Amino acid sequence: MEGTGGANGASAATMDQWRQFSRLFQFYLDKTTPHALYRWTGTAILAFLFMLRVYYIQGFYIITYGLGIYILNLLIGFLSPLVDPEVDPTDGPLLPTKGSDEFKPFIRRLPEFKFWYAVTKAFIISILMTFFSMFDVPVFWPILLCYWFVLFTLTMKRQIMHMIKYKYVPFNIGKQKYSGKKSSSAGSSNGGSRAD
């Protein structure tokens, strides 16, 4: 009886420690949200470390191929609208198709922060997998690379055609700046009146 109570107490303590760690991790993860440049720089460093490791070992091409397919899938979600007008044109806000339509902001199916988080986790897991030789399946890597490029080209072509068809741009370049009308006749009429 006492042994059972001790095991339950130990598992409860472990669960409390896990919850505390989870809350602390979420706290620091939330603090990184406004710092997109630093987040993506860290992910680029992870990507460089992964590429360096694969190059140094000369293996783990299946891991690299799987990582590439996963990132391509995430990229499609990042570039796609939340409500796809092709699939369900009646529910939810629609993308404007004419210049006279009301402006509706582009809402991604996969937000930037979730996209970054998934890509970063994928690179960390891939780096960890390169430490286990059972994941190093011998393959002829040029075929995988060619197949990935064909898949990337076909997928992005379809996505770009979808963007053109429904007239949306998934990137926010920044706030648009409008300048007043510049008219050469207004400048000459002002100059003429001053001379009088």
Side-chain angles (χ1 to χ4, degrees), residues 99-136:
S100 62
D101 285 350
E102 176 186 348
F103 171 74
K104 294 179 179 115
F106 180 78
I107 302 171
R108 300 177 189 284
R109 186 171 11 135
L110 181 65
E112 182 270 336
F113 184 79
K114 289 183 179 181
F115 176 58
W116 164 80
Y117 187 60
V119 168
T120 303
K121 279 194 312 188
F123 274 113
I124 290 171
I125 290 169
S126 298
I127 288 170
L128 291 176
M129 289 175 78
T130 62
F131 289 100
F132 299 99
S133 61
M134 67 182 183
F135 296 116
D136 190 12

PDB file of all heavy atoms in Angstrom, residues 99-136:
ATOM      1  N   GLY A  99     -11.704  45.360 -58.417  1.00  0.00           N
ATOM      2  CA  GLY A  99     -11.188  46.557 -57.775  1.00  0.00           C
ATOM      3  C   GLY A  99     -12.234  47.270 -56.936  1.00  0.00           C
ATOM      4  O   GLY A  99     -11.922  47.962 -55.982  1.00  0.00           O
ATOM      5  N   SER A 100     -13.516  47.092 -57.276  1.00  0.00           N
ATOM      6  CA  SER A 100     -14.573  47.767 -56.534  1.00  0.00           C
ATOM      7  C   SER A 100     -15.010  47.000 -55.292  1.00  0.00           C
ATOM      8  O   SER A 100     -15.779  47.514 -54.493  1.00  0.00           O
ATOM      9  CB  SER A 100     -15.782  47.987 -57.452  1.00  0.00           C
ATOM     10  OG  SER A 100     -16.279  46.727 -57.877  1.00  0.00           O
ATOM     11  N   ASP A 101     -14.533  45.750 -55.139  1.00  0.00           N
ATOM     12  CA  ASP A 101     -14.898  44.961 -53.963  1.00  0.00           C
ATOM     13  C   ASP A 101     -14.301  45.557 -52.704  1.00  0.00           C
ATOM     14  O   ASP A 101     -13.283  46.246 -52.745  1.00  0.00           O
ATOM     15  CB  ASP A 101     -14.406  43.516 -54.096  1.00  0.00           C
ATOM     16  CG  ASP A 101     -15.257  42.712 -55.059  1.00  0.00           C
ATOM     17  OD1 ASP A 101     -16.318  43.213 -55.474  1.00  0.00           O
ATOM     18  OD2 ASP A 101     -14.841  41.581 -55.381  1.00  0.00           O
ATOM     19  N   GLU A 102     -14.951  45.273 -51.594  1.00  0.00           N
ATOM     20  CA  GLU A 102     -14.467  45.748 -50.300  1.00  0.00           C
ATOM     21  C   GLU A 102     -13.138  45.056 -49.976  1.00  0.00           C
ATOM     22  O   GLU A 102     -12.948  43.872 -50.261  1.00  0.00           O
ATOM     23  CB  GLU A 102     -15.493  45.407 -49.221  1.00  0.00           C
ATOM     24  CG  GLU A 102     -15.060  45.776 -47.826  1.00  0.00           C
ATOM     25  CD  GLU A 102     -16.039  45.292 -46.765  1.00  0.00           C
ATOM     26  OE1 GLU A 102     -17.144  44.887 -47.117  1.00  0.00           O
ATOM     27  OE2 GLU A 102     -15.660  45.321 -45.602  1.00  0.00           O
ATOM     28  N   PHE A 103     -12.220  45.824 -49.367  1.00  0.00           N
ATOM     29  CA  PHE A 103     -10.930  45.260 -48.998  1.00  0.00           C
ATOM     30  C   PHE A 103     -11.102  44.294 -47.837  1.00  0.00           C
ATOM     31  O   PHE A 103     -11.727  44.606 -46.838  1.00  0.00           O
ATOM     32  CB  PHE A 103      -9.949  46.358 -48.592  1.00  0.00           C
ATOM     33  CG  PHE A 103      -8.679  45.815 -48.008  1.00  0.00           C
ATOM     34  CD1 PHE A 103      -7.727  45.228 -48.813  1.00  0.00           C
ATOM     35  CD2 PHE A 103      -8.460  45.852 -46.634  1.00  0.00           C
ATOM     36  CE1 PHE A 103      -6.562  44.713 -48.280  1.00  0.00           C
ATOM     37  CE2 PHE A 103      -7.299  45.337 -46.096  1.00  0.00           C
ATOM     38  CZ  PHE A 103      -6.347  44.771 -46.923  1.00  0.00           C
ATOM     39  N   LYS A 104     -10.557  43.102 -48.014  1.00  0.00           N
ATOM     40  CA  LYS A 104     -10.551  42.117 -46.941  1.00  0.00           C
ATOM     41  C   LYS A 104      -9.108  41.658 -46.790  1.00  0.00           C
ATOM     42  O   LYS A 104      -8.470  41.264 -47.757  1.00  0.00           O
ATOM     43  CB  LYS A 104     -11.458  40.952 -47.283  1.00  0.00           C
ATOM     44  CG  LYS A 104     -12.908  41.369 -47.360  1.00  0.00           C
ATOM     45  CD  LYS A 104     -13.794  40.224 -47.733  1.00  0.00           C
ATOM     46  CE  LYS A 104     -15.217  40.683 -47.764  1.00  0.00           C
ATOM     47  NZ  LYS A 104     -15.824  40.648 -49.046  1.00  0.00           N
ATOM     48  N   PRO A 105      -8.564  41.718 -45.588  1.00  0.00           N
ATOM     49  CA  PRO A 105      -7.155  41.357 -45.419  1.00  0.00           C
ATOM     50  C   PRO A 105      -6.923  39.870 -45.684  1.00  0.00           C
ATOM     51  O   PRO A 105      -7.821  39.050 -45.508  1.00  0.00           O
ATOM     52  CB  PRO A 105      -6.872  41.708 -43.959  1.00  0.00           C
ATOM     53  CG  PRO A 105      -8.194  41.667 -43.292  1.00  0.00           C
ATOM     54  CD  PRO A 105      -9.196  42.075 -44.330  1.00  0.00           C
ATOM     55  N   PHE A 106      -5.733  39.577 -46.122  1.00  0.00           N
ATOM     56  CA  PHE A 106      -5.346  38.195 -46.380  1.00  0.00           C
ATOM     57  C   PHE A 106      -5.083  37.501 -45.053  1.00  0.00           C
ATOM     58  O   PHE A 106      -4.241  37.925 -44.271  1.00  0.00           O
ATOM     59  CB  PHE A 106      -4.087  38.168 -47.259  1.00  0.00           C
ATOM     60  CG  PHE A 106      -3.630  36.778 -47.572  1.00  0.00           C
ATOM     61  CD1 PHE A 106      -4.265  36.036 -48.545  1.00  0.00           C
ATOM     62  CD2 PHE A 106      -2.569  36.211 -46.888  1.00  0.00           C
ATOM     63  CE1 PHE A 106      -3.849  34.754 -48.838  1.00  0.00           C
ATOM     64  CE2 PHE A 106      -2.149  34.931 -47.177  1.00  0.00           C
ATOM     65  CZ  PHE A 106      -2.786  34.204 -48.157  1.00  0.00           C
ATOM     66  N   ILE A 107      -5.830  36.450 -44.787  1.00  0.00           N
ATOM     67  CA  ILE A 107      -5.642  35.652 -43.574  1.00  0.00           C
ATOM     68  C   ILE A 107      -5.086  34.307 -43.997  1.00  0.00           C
ATOM     69  O   ILE A 107      -5.704  33.595 -44.793  1.00  0.00           O
ATOM     70  CB  ILE A 107      -6.969  35.486 -42.809  1.00  0.00           C
ATOM     71  CG1 ILE A 107      -7.536  36.854 -42.447  1.00  0.00           C
ATOM     72  CG2 ILE A 107      -6.765  34.645 -41.555  1.00  0.00           C
ATOM     73  CD1 ILE A 107      -8.936  36.802 -41.894  1.00  0.00           C
ATOM     74  N   ARG A 108      -3.928  33.978 -43.489  1.00  0.00           N
ATOM     75  CA  ARG A 108      -3.239  32.743 -43.879  1.00  0.00           C
ATOM     76  C   ARG A 108      -3.866  31.519 -43.224  1.00  0.00           C
ATOM     77  O   ARG A 108      -4.355  31.581 -42.107  1.00  0.00           O
ATOM     78  CB  ARG A 108      -1.779  32.799 -43.453  1.00  0.00           C
ATOM     79  CG  ARG A 108      -1.012  33.923 -44.055  1.00  0.00           C
ATOM     80  CD  ARG A 108       0.419  33.929 -43.503  1.00  0.00           C
ATOM     81  NE  ARG A 108       1.109  35.114 -43.892  1.00  0.00           N
ATOM     82  CZ  ARG A 108       1.609  35.334 -45.103  1.00  0.00           C
ATOM     83  NH1 ARG A 108       1.476  34.426 -46.027  1.00  0.00           N
ATOM     84  NH2 ARG A 108       2.221  36.458 -45.385  1.00  0.00           N
ATOM     85  N   ARG A 109      -3.753  30.397 -43.924  1.00  0.00           N
ATOM     86  CA  ARG A 109      -4.166  29.133 -43.325  1.00  0.00           C
ATOM     87  C   ARG A 109      -3.182  28.735 -42.233  1.00  0.00           C
ATOM     88  O   ARG A 109      -3.571  28.187 -41.212  1.00  0.00           O
ATOM     89  CB  ARG A 109      -4.219  28.044 -44.401  1.00  0.00           C
ATOM     90  CG  ARG A 109      -4.773  26.757 -43.884  1.00  0.00           C
ATOM     91  CD  ARG A 109      -5.051  25.701 -44.926  1.00  0.00           C
ATOM     92  NE  ARG A 109      -4.551  25.940 -46.236  1.00  0.00           N
ATOM     93  CZ  ARG A 109      -3.929  25.014 -46.959  1.00  0.00           C
ATOM     94  NH1 ARG A 109      -3.703  23.825 -46.479  1.00  0.00           N
ATOM     95  NH2 ARG A 109      -3.528  25.285 -48.177  1.00  0.00           N
ATOM     96  N   LEU A 110      -1.909  29.048 -42.429  1.00  0.00           N
ATOM     97  CA  LEU A 110      -0.872  28.772 -41.434  1.00  0.00           C
ATOM     98  C   LEU A 110      -0.187  30.100 -41.106  1.00  0.00           C
ATOM     99  O   LEU A 110       0.559  30.626 -41.924  1.00  0.00           O
ATOM    100  CB  LEU A 110       0.151  27.765 -41.978  1.00  0.00           C
ATOM    101  CG  LEU A 110       1.269  27.361 -41.048  1.00  0.00           C
ATOM    102  CD1 LEU A 110       0.730  26.606 -39.845  1.00  0.00           C
ATOM    103  CD2 LEU A 110       2.284  26.495 -41.787  1.00  0.00           C
ATOM    104  N   PRO A 111      -0.424  30.660 -39.925  1.00  0.00           N
ATOM    105  CA  PRO A 111       0.179  31.954 -39.576  1.00  0.00           C
ATOM    106  C   PRO A 111       1.706  31.884 -39.537  1.00  0.00           C
ATOM    107  O   PRO A 111       2.295  30.806 -39.380  1.00  0.00           O
ATOM    108  CB  PRO A 111      -0.379  32.249 -38.180  1.00  0.00           C
ATOM    109  CG  PRO A 111      -1.573  31.384 -38.031  1.00  0.00           C
ATOM    110  CD  PRO A 111      -1.330  30.178 -38.890  1.00  0.00           C
ATOM    111  N   GLU A 112       2.326  33.045 -39.660  1.00  0.00           N
ATOM    112  CA  GLU A 112       3.797  33.117 -39.726  1.00  0.00           C
ATOM    113  C   GLU A 112       4.451  32.510 -38.503  1.00  0.00           C
ATOM    114  O   GLU A 112       5.434  31.770 -38.618  1.00  0.00           O
ATOM    115  CB  GLU A 112       4.232  34.583 -39.879  1.00  0.00           C
ATOM    116  CG  GLU A 112       5.737  34.779 -40.007  1.00  0.00           C
ATOM    117  CD  GLU A 112       6.458  34.966 -38.683  1.00  0.00           C
ATOM    118  OE1 GLU A 112       5.826  35.391 -37.705  1.00  0.00           O
ATOM    119  OE2 GLU A 112       7.665  34.661 -38.632  1.00  0.00           O
ATOM    120  N   PHE A 113       3.945  32.766 -37.305  1.00  0.00           N
ATOM    121  CA  PHE A 113       4.577  32.249 -36.090  1.00  0.00           C
ATOM    122  C   PHE A 113       4.508  30.726 -36.050  1.00  0.00           C
ATOM    123  O   PHE A 113       5.500  30.062 -35.741  1.00  0.00           O
ATOM    124  CB  PHE A 113       3.906  32.844 -34.841  1.00  0.00           C
ATOM    125  CG  PHE A 113       4.583  32.430 -33.574  1.00  0.00           C
ATOM    126  CD1 PHE A 113       5.757  33.048 -33.173  1.00  0.00           C
ATOM    127  CD2 PHE A 113       4.064  31.424 -32.787  1.00  0.00           C
ATOM    128  CE1 PHE A 113       6.406  32.665 -32.006  1.00  0.00           C
ATOM    129  CE2 PHE A 113       4.691  31.031 -31.622  1.00  0.00           C
ATOM    130  CZ  PHE A 113       5.866  31.657 -31.229  1.00  0.00           C
ATOM    131  N   LYS A 114       3.363  30.162 -36.403  1.00  0.00           N
ATOM    132  CA  LYS A 114       3.235  28.698 -36.418  1.00  0.00           C
ATOM    133  C   LYS A 114       4.106  28.088 -37.512  1.00  0.00           C
ATOM    134  O   LYS A 114       4.658  27.005 -37.346  1.00  0.00           O
ATOM    135  CB  LYS A 114       1.780  28.286 -36.587  1.00  0.00           C
ATOM    136  CG  LYS A 114       0.937  28.562 -35.372  1.00  0.00           C
ATOM    137  CD  LYS A 114      -0.476  28.069 -35.558  1.00  0.00           C
ATOM    138  CE  LYS A 114      -1.292  28.338 -34.305  1.00  0.00           C
ATOM    139  NZ  LYS A 114      -2.667  27.853 -34.445  1.00  0.00           N
ATOM    140  N   PHE A 115       4.217  28.791 -38.633  1.00  0.00           N
ATOM    141  CA  PHE A 115       5.095  28.342 -39.712  1.00  0.00           C
ATOM    142  C   PHE A 115       6.537  28.304 -39.231  1.00  0.00           C
ATOM    143  O   PHE A 115       7.240  27.304 -39.408  1.00  0.00           O
ATOM    144  CB  PHE A 115       4.930  29.280 -40.909  1.00  0.00           C
ATOM    145  CG  PHE A 115       5.838  29.001 -42.071  1.00  0.00           C
ATOM    146  CD1 PHE A 115       5.841  27.771 -42.698  1.00  0.00           C
ATOM    147  CD2 PHE A 115       6.679  29.986 -42.554  1.00  0.00           C
ATOM    148  CE1 PHE A 115       6.665  27.526 -43.780  1.00  0.00           C
ATOM    149  CE2 PHE A 115       7.510  29.751 -43.643  1.00  0.00           C
ATOM    150  CZ  PHE A 115       7.495  28.517 -44.246  1.00  0.00           C
ATOM    151  N   TRP A 116       6.981  29.386 -38.590  1.00  0.00           N
ATOM    152  CA  TRP A 116       8.341  29.432 -38.062  1.00  0.00           C
ATOM    153  C   TRP A 116       8.571  28.332 -37.027  1.00  0.00           C
ATOM    154  O   TRP A 116       9.594  27.646 -37.051  1.00  0.00           O
ATOM    155  CB  TRP A 116       8.623  30.798 -37.428  1.00  0.00           C
ATOM    156  CG  TRP A 116       9.829  30.778 -36.564  1.00  0.00           C
ATOM    157  CD1 TRP A 116      11.131  30.847 -36.975  1.00  0.00           C
ATOM    158  CD2 TRP A 116       9.874  30.619 -35.141  1.00  0.00           C
ATOM    159  NE1 TRP A 116      11.968  30.752 -35.894  1.00  0.00           N
ATOM    160  CE2 TRP A 116      11.217  30.611 -34.761  1.00  0.00           C
ATOM    161  CE3 TRP A 116       8.889  30.489 -34.163  1.00  0.00           C
ATOM    162  CZ2 TRP A 116      11.621  30.476 -33.438  1.00  0.00           C
ATOM    163  CZ3 TRP A 116       9.285  30.352 -32.848  1.00  0.00           C
ATOM    164  CH2 TRP A 116      10.635  30.346 -32.490  1.00  0.00           C
ATOM    165  N   TYR A 117       7.630  28.166 -36.118  1.00  0.00           N
ATOM    166  CA  TYR A 117       7.775  27.188 -35.043  1.00  0.00           C
ATOM    167  C   TYR A 117       7.872  25.767 -35.603  1.00  0.00           C
ATOM    168  O   TYR A 117       8.715  24.977 -35.173  1.00  0.00           O
ATOM    169  CB  TYR A 117       6.595  27.318 -34.075  1.00  0.00           C
ATOM    170  CG  TYR A 117       6.714  26.473 -32.836  1.00  0.00           C
ATOM    171  CD1 TYR A 117       7.774  26.634 -31.964  1.00  0.00           C
ATOM    172  CD2 TYR A 117       5.749  25.520 -32.537  1.00  0.00           C
ATOM    173  CE1 TYR A 117       7.879  25.863 -30.822  1.00  0.00           C
ATOM    174  CE2 TYR A 117       5.849  24.746 -31.401  1.00  0.00           C
ATOM    175  CZ  TYR A 117       6.914  24.917 -30.543  1.00  0.00           C
ATOM    176  OH  TYR A 117       7.021  24.139 -29.420  1.00  0.00           O
ATOM    177  N   ALA A 118       7.028  25.446 -36.591  1.00  0.00           N
ATOM    178  CA  ALA A 118       7.055  24.111 -37.192  1.00  0.00           C
ATOM    179  C   ALA A 118       8.361  23.866 -37.956  1.00  0.00           C
ATOM    180  O   ALA A 118       8.947  22.783 -37.874  1.00  0.00           O
ATOM    181  CB  ALA A 118       5.854  23.928 -38.112  1.00  0.00           C
ATOM    182  N   VAL A 119       8.834  24.881 -38.681  1.00  0.00           N
ATOM    183  CA  VAL A 119      10.091  24.739 -39.427  1.00  0.00           C
ATOM    184  C   VAL A 119      11.268  24.561 -38.457  1.00  0.00           C
ATOM    185  O   VAL A 119      12.138  23.709 -38.666  1.00  0.00           O
ATOM    186  CB  VAL A 119      10.317  25.954 -40.361  1.00  0.00           C
ATOM    187  CG1 VAL A 119      11.721  25.980 -40.914  1.00  0.00           C
ATOM    188  CG2 VAL A 119       9.305  25.942 -41.485  1.00  0.00           C
ATOM    189  N   THR A 120      11.269  25.336 -37.378  1.00  0.00           N
ATOM    190  CA  THR A 120      12.353  25.239 -36.404  1.00  0.00           C
ATOM    191  C   THR A 120      12.359  23.869 -35.732  1.00  0.00           C
ATOM    192  O   THR A 120      13.413  23.252 -35.583  1.00  0.00           O
ATOM    193  CB  THR A 120      12.219  26.356 -35.350  1.00  0.00           C
ATOM    194  OG1 THR A 120      12.203  27.615 -36.028  1.00  0.00           O
ATOM    195  CG2 THR A 120      13.373  26.339 -34.377  1.00  0.00           C
ATOM    196  N   LYS A 121      11.184  23.393 -35.332  1.00  0.00           N
ATOM    197  CA  LYS A 121      11.101  22.053 -34.737  1.00  0.00           C
ATOM    198  C   LYS A 121      11.582  20.993 -35.715  1.00  0.00           C
ATOM    199  O   LYS A 121      12.276  20.050 -35.329  1.00  0.00           O
ATOM    200  CB  LYS A 121       9.669  21.739 -34.305  1.00  0.00           C
ATOM    201  CG  LYS A 121       9.264  22.328 -32.996  1.00  0.00           C
ATOM    202  CD  LYS A 121       7.974  21.731 -32.445  1.00  0.00           C
ATOM    203  CE  LYS A 121       6.867  21.659 -33.439  1.00  0.00           C
ATOM    204  NZ  LYS A 121       5.568  21.251 -32.863  1.00  0.00           N
ATOM    205  N   ALA A 122      11.220  21.145 -36.988  1.00  0.00           N
ATOM    206  CA  ALA A 122      11.624  20.172 -38.000  1.00  0.00           C
ATOM    207  C   ALA A 122      13.143  20.131 -38.148  1.00  0.00           C
ATOM    208  O   ALA A 122      13.735  19.042 -38.250  1.00  0.00           O
ATOM    209  CB  ALA A 122      10.973  20.499 -39.339  1.00  0.00           C
ATOM    210  N   PHE A 123      13.795  21.297 -38.136  1.00  0.00           N
ATOM    211  CA  PHE A 123      15.250  21.310 -38.231  1.00  0.00           C
ATOM    212  C   PHE A 123      15.900  20.700 -36.987  1.00  0.00           C
ATOM    213  O   PHE A 123      16.879  19.957 -37.094  1.00  0.00           O
ATOM    214  CB  PHE A 123      15.783  22.725 -38.470  1.00  0.00           C
ATOM    215  CG  PHE A 123      15.803  23.103 -39.915  1.00  0.00           C
ATOM    216  CD1 PHE A 123      14.974  24.092 -40.399  1.00  0.00           C
ATOM    217  CD2 PHE A 123      16.654  22.466 -40.808  1.00  0.00           C
ATOM    218  CE1 PHE A 123      14.979  24.443 -41.730  1.00  0.00           C
ATOM    219  CE2 PHE A 123      16.674  22.803 -42.144  1.00  0.00           C
ATOM    220  CZ  PHE A 123      15.829  23.794 -42.618  1.00  0.00           C
ATOM    221  N   ILE A 124      15.366  20.987 -35.818  1.00  0.00           N
ATOM    222  CA  ILE A 124      15.929  20.413 -34.581  1.00  0.00           C
ATOM    223  C   ILE A 124      15.793  18.899 -34.586  1.00  0.00           C
ATOM    224  O   ILE A 124      16.754  18.164 -34.282  1.00  0.00           O
ATOM    225  CB  ILE A 124      15.255  21.037 -33.340  1.00  0.00           C
ATOM    226  CG1 ILE A 124      15.688  22.500 -33.192  1.00  0.00           C
ATOM    227  CG2 ILE A 124      15.602  20.259 -32.076  1.00  0.00           C
ATOM    228  CD1 ILE A 124      14.915  23.271 -32.142  1.00  0.00           C
ATOM    229  N   ILE A 125      14.606  18.394 -34.958  1.00  0.00           N
ATOM    230  CA  ILE A 125      14.395  16.950 -35.003  1.00  0.00           C
ATOM    231  C   ILE A 125      15.300  16.310 -36.052  1.00  0.00           C
ATOM    232  O   ILE A 125      15.882  15.243 -35.821  1.00  0.00           O
ATOM    233  CB  ILE A 125      12.907  16.637 -35.266  1.00  0.00           C
ATOM    234  CG1 ILE A 125      12.084  17.017 -34.029  1.00  0.00           C
ATOM    235  CG2 ILE A 125      12.695  15.183 -35.623  1.00  0.00           C
ATOM    236  CD1 ILE A 125      10.592  17.009 -34.251  1.00  0.00           C
ATOM    237  N   SER A 126      15.457  16.969 -37.196  1.00  0.00           N
ATOM    238  CA  SER A 126      16.323  16.429 -38.254  1.00  0.00           C
ATOM    239  C   SER A 126      17.779  16.373 -37.806  1.00  0.00           C
ATOM    240  O   SER A 126      18.479  15.402 -38.092  1.00  0.00           O
ATOM    241  CB  SER A 126      16.199  17.265 -39.521  1.00  0.00           C
ATOM    242  OG  SER A 126      14.888  17.213 -40.010  1.00  0.00           O
ATOM    243  N   ILE A 127      18.228  17.404 -37.107  1.00  0.00           N
ATOM    244  CA  ILE A 127      19.596  17.397 -36.603  1.00  0.00           C
ATOM    245  C   ILE A 127      19.775  16.251 -35.605  1.00  0.00           C
ATOM    246  O   ILE A 127      20.777  15.524 -35.643  1.00  0.00           O
ATOM    247  CB  ILE A 127      19.960  18.756 -35.966  1.00  0.00           C
ATOM    248  CG1 ILE A 127      20.118  19.816 -37.054  1.00  0.00           C
ATOM    249  CG2 ILE A 127      21.245  18.652 -35.147  1.00  0.00           C
ATOM    250  CD1 ILE A 127      20.239  21.242 -36.529  1.00  0.00           C
ATOM    251  N   LEU A 128      18.808  16.067 -34.727  1.00  0.00           N
ATOM    252  CA  LEU A 128      18.901  14.971 -33.753  1.00  0.00           C
ATOM    253  C   LEU A 128      18.890  13.608 -34.436  1.00  0.00           C
ATOM    254  O   LEU A 128      19.578  12.685 -33.995  1.00  0.00           O
ATOM    255  CB  LEU A 128      17.760  15.068 -32.740  1.00  0.00           C
ATOM    256  CG  LEU A 128      17.818  16.241 -31.769  1.00  0.00           C
ATOM    257  CD1 LEU A 128      16.574  16.273 -30.887  1.00  0.00           C
ATOM    258  CD2 LEU A 128      19.077  16.170 -30.915  1.00  0.00           C
ATOM    259  N   MET A 129      18.121  13.470 -35.514  1.00  0.00           N
ATOM    260  CA  MET A 129      18.054  12.191 -36.225  1.00  0.00           C
ATOM    261  C   MET A 129      19.379  11.833 -36.886  1.00  0.00           C
ATOM    262  O   MET A 129      19.658  10.652 -37.105  1.00  0.00           O
ATOM    263  CB  MET A 129      16.934  12.214 -37.257  1.00  0.00           C
ATOM    264  CG  MET A 129      15.546  12.182 -36.631  1.00  0.00           C
ATOM    265  SD  MET A 129      14.231  12.366 -37.844  1.00  0.00           S
ATOM    266  CE  MET A 129      14.181  10.720 -38.526  1.00  0.00           C
ATOM    267  N   THR A 130      20.196  12.837 -37.205  1.00  0.00           N
ATOM    268  CA  THR A 130      21.487  12.540 -37.838  1.00  0.00           C
ATOM    269  C   THR A 130      22.484  11.914 -36.870  1.00  0.00           C
ATOM    270  O   THR A 130      23.558  11.483 -37.291  1.00  0.00           O
ATOM    271  CB  THR A 130      22.111  13.808 -38.453  1.00  0.00           C
ATOM    272  OG1 THR A 130      22.357  14.763 -37.424  1.00  0.00           O
ATOM    273  CG2 THR A 130      21.239  14.394 -39.533  1.00  0.00           C
ATOM    274  N   PHE A 131      22.150  11.853 -35.590  1.00  0.00           N
ATOM    275  CA  PHE A 131      23.030  11.203 -34.623  1.00  0.00           C
ATOM    276  C   PHE A 131      22.734   9.713 -34.477  1.00  0.00           C
ATOM    277  O   PHE A 131      23.419   9.024 -33.722  1.00  0.00           O
ATOM    278  CB  PHE A 131      22.927  11.890 -33.259  1.00  0.00           C
ATOM    279  CG  PHE A 131      23.563  13.248 -33.236  1.00  0.00           C
ATOM    280  CD1 PHE A 131      22.793  14.390 -33.348  1.00  0.00           C
ATOM    281  CD2 PHE A 131      24.940  13.378 -33.132  1.00  0.00           C
ATOM    282  CE1 PHE A 131      23.380  15.641 -33.338  1.00  0.00           C
ATOM    283  CE2 PHE A 131      25.535  14.625 -33.132  1.00  0.00           C
ATOM    284  CZ  PHE A 131      24.749  15.763 -33.223  1.00  0.00           C
ATOM    285  N   PHE A 132      21.720   9.213 -35.184  1.00  0.00           N
ATOM    286  CA  PHE A 132      21.360   7.800 -35.122  1.00  0.00           C
ATOM    287  C   PHE A 132      21.542   7.179 -36.492  1.00  0.00           C
ATOM    288  O   PHE A 132      20.877   7.570 -37.458  1.00  0.00           O
ATOM    289  CB  PHE A 132      19.911   7.635 -34.649  1.00  0.00           C
ATOM    290  CG  PHE A 132      19.667   8.192 -33.277  1.00  0.00           C
ATOM    291  CD1 PHE A 132      19.106   9.452 -33.118  1.00  0.00           C
ATOM    292  CD2 PHE A 132      20.026   7.477 -32.153  1.00  0.00           C
ATOM    293  CE1 PHE A 132      18.889   9.981 -31.863  1.00  0.00           C
ATOM    294  CE2 PHE A 132      19.808   7.987 -30.888  1.00  0.00           C
ATOM    295  CZ  PHE A 132      19.253   9.240 -30.739  1.00  0.00           C
ATOM    296  N   SER A 133      22.415   6.197 -36.585  1.00  0.00           N
ATOM    297  CA  SER A 133      22.766   5.614 -37.881  1.00  0.00           C
ATOM    298  C   SER A 133      21.619   4.838 -38.519  1.00  0.00           C
ATOM    299  O   SER A 133      21.642   4.596 -39.720  1.00  0.00           O
ATOM    300  CB  SER A 133      23.986   4.711 -37.729  1.00  0.00           C
ATOM    301  OG  SER A 133      23.703   3.647 -36.839  1.00  0.00           O
ATOM    302  N   MET A 134      20.615   4.445 -37.746  1.00  0.00           N
ATOM    303  CA  MET A 134      19.507   3.687 -38.340  1.00  0.00           C
ATOM    304  C   MET A 134      18.692   4.543 -39.319  1.00  0.00           C
ATOM    305  O   MET A 134      17.986   4.008 -40.164  1.00  0.00           O
ATOM    306  CB  MET A 134      18.596   3.128 -37.248  1.00  0.00           C
ATOM    307  CG  MET A 134      17.839   4.130 -36.470  1.00  0.00           C
ATOM    308  SD  MET A 134      16.880   3.277 -35.216  1.00  0.00           S
ATOM    309  CE  MET A 134      16.024   4.648 -34.491  1.00  0.00           C
ATOM    310  N   PHE A 135      18.805   5.866 -39.234  1.00  0.00           N
ATOM    311  CA  PHE A 135      18.092   6.746 -40.154  1.00  0.00           C
ATOM    312  C   PHE A 135      18.899   7.054 -41.418  1.00  0.00           C
ATOM    313  O   PHE A 135      18.406   7.733 -42.307  1.00  0.00           O
ATOM    314  CB  PHE A 135      17.720   8.066 -39.469  1.00  0.00           C
ATOM    315  CG  PHE A 135      16.768   7.905 -38.334  1.00  0.00           C
ATOM    316  CD1 PHE A 135      17.147   8.228 -37.043  1.00  0.00           C
ATOM    317  CD2 PHE A 135      15.495   7.423 -38.548  1.00  0.00           C
ATOM    318  CE1 PHE A 135      16.270   8.081 -35.994  1.00  0.00           C
ATOM    319  CE2 PHE A 135      14.608   7.267 -37.503  1.00  0.00           C
ATOM    320  CZ  PHE A 135      14.996   7.599 -36.216  1.00  0.00           C
ATOM    321  N   ASP A 136      20.121   6.552 -41.490  1.00  0.00           N
ATOM    322  CA  ASP A 136      20.967   6.785 -42.657  1.00  0.00           C
ATOM    323  C   ASP A 136      20.750   5.668 -43.673  1.00  0.00           C
ATOM    324  O   ASP A 136      21.524   4.723 -43.771  1.00  0.00           O
ATOM    325  CB  ASP A 136      22.435   6.875 -42.246  1.00  0.00           C
ATOM    326  CG  ASP A 136      23.319   7.356 -43.377  1.00  0.00           C
ATOM    327  OD1 ASP A 136      22.780   7.825 -44.393  1.00  0.00           O
ATOM    328  OD2 ASP A 136      24.547   7.265 -43.228  1.00  0.00           O
TER     329      ASP A 136
END
